[in-house]
Structure formats: structure tokens, C-alpha cells
């Protein structure tokens, strides 16, 4: 069994959950997805980890690092279960709102360093740029349009997970969708939010003193 853990604060409504579900759908082995915000302590997770063939962590980037609840989980598992899962393969599925997926390298490094301290085997991760956009394209097949690069990355990661093999981290962004166009769409979103909150354009550029 492959164990996948959604560490997003948004839980069931998160893009992280969708990305984990997409990877699970490509796996040839049984998968189970848990929501971190529904766990009570780490006992249940530790029990499932002992049975799992591989562990997949899913989370968004928060201030160039892991979400607070993911950090808390890592600290608790380190305090309670260090070296209890020797060489257990650990993979990561991460995303961020910025177009550039390379900005996720610090988050993947955090997960990798945690694995070293835990005695587990970090075996590769998928870094998804433009996460909000990609999460909104759930009706588009993974091998088509803007999802093509992400779908290829998910397929490669799923194959590695099921084979228990380590791979290099995979960095993807929206396919056939230029960064400039992505920035235009993001700016339009800011303006929409500005109007909703009764702000002027000048308010967006006002320096906080």
C-alpha cells in the first residue's frame, strides 16, 4: 500500500489533495490518502507508515518553506519515531502559486533533510509551478494542454513510487502557457480582489510605513 498525506491547511478543498489524487490514480498499487488536519496525533500515521511500501507528502509552499502543520508533524515524528522506519521511501508532491517551480527547491530540501534525520530514504519529488492555475484545470486530461508537463511528471513519479526507486526531483510549470500571460492573468486576479475589497489601484502600490 502507498500512503499519501495531504499537509495543506485547506484539507479536502486543497490543490495539494487534487495533485495527490492524480498521482494515486496513476499508481498500479493500492493507495490511501490521509488528511493531516483530520489526524489526532501521530499514532494512526505511525501505524499506517509501518505497513506502507512508500510514503508521499503533499503540500504547498508557505514563505519558502513547509506549512506550519507540516513542520509540526515532522518534529513530532522525529521526537517519537526516529529510526523506526529504516530506508522507507519518501516522495513529495509540492506546489506554489508562482510560475517558477524552481522556487520549490528549498521545500524539497527541507523534506530531504528531515528524511535523513528520520533514517528514511528521500526518493524524489514533483515541484508544480502555477499551482493555483493547475489546480483549477481539473477537467483537463493530464496529458493535454497546460497539464501536459505536469501529467508527464506525475506519471514518472508514480512509476518510481510503485517500483520503490529513487529519481531526481521533477520541476514543471504550465505547458503552452507563457510566463508573461500567466502574470497578466495573476494581475487581473489582483485587480478583481482589489475591487471586491473597495481599494483603488494606488492602494496596491502604496508602501506600508
Amino acid at each position: 500500500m502507498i500512503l499519501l498525506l495531504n499537509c495543506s491547511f485547506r484539507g479536502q478543498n486543497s490543490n495539494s489533495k487534487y495533485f495527490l489524487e492524480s498521482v494515486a490514480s496513476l499508481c498500479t498499487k493500492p493507495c490511501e490518502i490521509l488528511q493531516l488536519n483530520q489526524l489526532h496525533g501521530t499514532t494512526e500515521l505511525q501505524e499506517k507508515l509501518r505497513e506502507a511500501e512508500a510514503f508521499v507528502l503533499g503540500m504547498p509552499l508557505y514563505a519558502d518553506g513547509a506549512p506550519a502543520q507540516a513542520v509540526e508533524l515532522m518534529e513530532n515524528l522525529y521526537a517519537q519515531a526516529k529510526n523506526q522506519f529504516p530506508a522507507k521511501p519518501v516522495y513529495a508532491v509540492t506546489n506554489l502559486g508562482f510560475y517558477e517551480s524552481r522556487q520549490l527547491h528549498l521545500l524539497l530540501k527541507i523534506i530531504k533533510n528531515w528524511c535523513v534525520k528520520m533514517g528514511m530514504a528521500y526518493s524524489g519529488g514533483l515541484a508544480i509551478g502555477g499551482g493555483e492555475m493547475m489546480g483549477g484545470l481539473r477537467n483537463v486530461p493530464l496529458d493535454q494542454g497546460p497539464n501536459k508537463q505536469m501529467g508527464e511528471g506525475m506519471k514518472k513519479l508514480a512509476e518510481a513510487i510503485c517500483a520503490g526507486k529513487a529519481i531526481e526531483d521533477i520541476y514543471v510549470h504550465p505547458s503552452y502557457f507563457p510566463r508573461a500571460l500567466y502574470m497578466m492573468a495573476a494581475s487581473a486576479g489582483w485587480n478583481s480582489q482589489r475591487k471586491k475589497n473597495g481599494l483603488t489601484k494606488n492602494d496596491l502600490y502604496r508602501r506600508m510605513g
Side-chain angles (χ1 to χ4, degrees), residues 141-163:
L142 289 176
D143 59 348
Q144 295 180 21
N147 285 341
K148 183 174 176 58
Q149 193 177 137
M150 182 179 74
E152 291 173 349
M154 286 180 170
K155 182 179 180 181
K156 185 175 180 180
L157 182 66
E159 290 173 348
I161 291 170
C162 293

Side-chain angles (χ1 to χ4, degrees), residues 75-94:
E75 291 176 343
N76 288 341
L77 283 174
Y78 177 70
Q80 301 167 13
K82 178 184 177 183
N83 296 323
Q84 290 189 22
F85 314 103
K88 179 82 68 176
V90 177
Y91 301 86
V93 178
T94 63

Side-chain angles (χ1 to χ4, degrees), residues 45-75:
L45 180 60
Q46 289 182 47
E47 292 174 354
K48 290 184 178 295
L49 264 175
R50 291 188 179 90
E51 301 171 357
E53 295 180 44
F55 185 37
V56 185
L57 286 164
M59 67 186 77
L61 181 76
Y62 272 55
D64 276 337
Q69 63 179 8
V71 173
E72 183 180 21
L73 171 75
M74 292 177 181
E75 291 176 343

Side-chain angles (χ1 to χ4, degrees), residues 15-159:
N15 291 321
S16 295
K17 179 175 180 285
Y18 162 63
F19 296 140
L20 287 176
E21 288 176 336
S22 298
V23 171
S25 72
L26 297 170
C27 287
T28 56
K29 293 186 175 181
C31 296
E32 180 177 359
I33 299 178
L34 296 179
Q35 308 299 319
L36 178 55
N37 62 1
Q38 294 179 359
L39 293 179
H40 301 287
T42 65
T43 302
E44 178 186 359
L45 180 60
Q46 289 182 47
E47 292 174 354
K48 290 184 178 295
L49 264 175
R50 291 188 179 90
E51 301 171 357
E53 295 180 44
F55 185 37
V56 185
L57 286 164
M59 67 186 77
L61 181 76
Y62 272 55
D64 276 337
Q69 63 179 8
V71 173
E72 183 180 21
L73 171 75
M74 292 177 181
E75 291 176 343
N76 288 341
L77 283 174
Y78 177 70
Q80 301 167 13
K82 178 184 177 183
N83 296 323
Q84 290 189 22
F85 314 103
K88 179 82 68 176
V90 177
Y91 301 86
V93 178
T94 63
N95 73 94
L96 80 168
F98 295 129
Y99 187 88
E100 299 85 1
S101 59
R102 281 285 168 185
Q103 193 162 336
L104 286 159
H105 78 280
L106 290 176
L107 175 52
L108 292 176
K109 189 172 183 179
I110 288 170
I111 297 173
K112 183 176 182 179
N113 289 341
W114 174 74
C115 288
V116 171
K117 290 181 176 293
M118 284 293 296
M120 302 167 86
Y122 179 76
S123 301
L126 176 63
I128 302 170
E132 284 298 315
M133 172 183 169
M134 306 308 285
L137 298 175
R138 305 185 187 197
N139 294 325
V140 179
L142 289 176
D143 59 348
Q144 295 180 21
N147 285 341
K148 183 174 176 58
Q149 193 177 137
M150 182 179 74
E152 291 173 349
M154 286 180 170
K155 182 179 180 181
K156 185 175 180 180
L157 182 66
E159 290 173 348

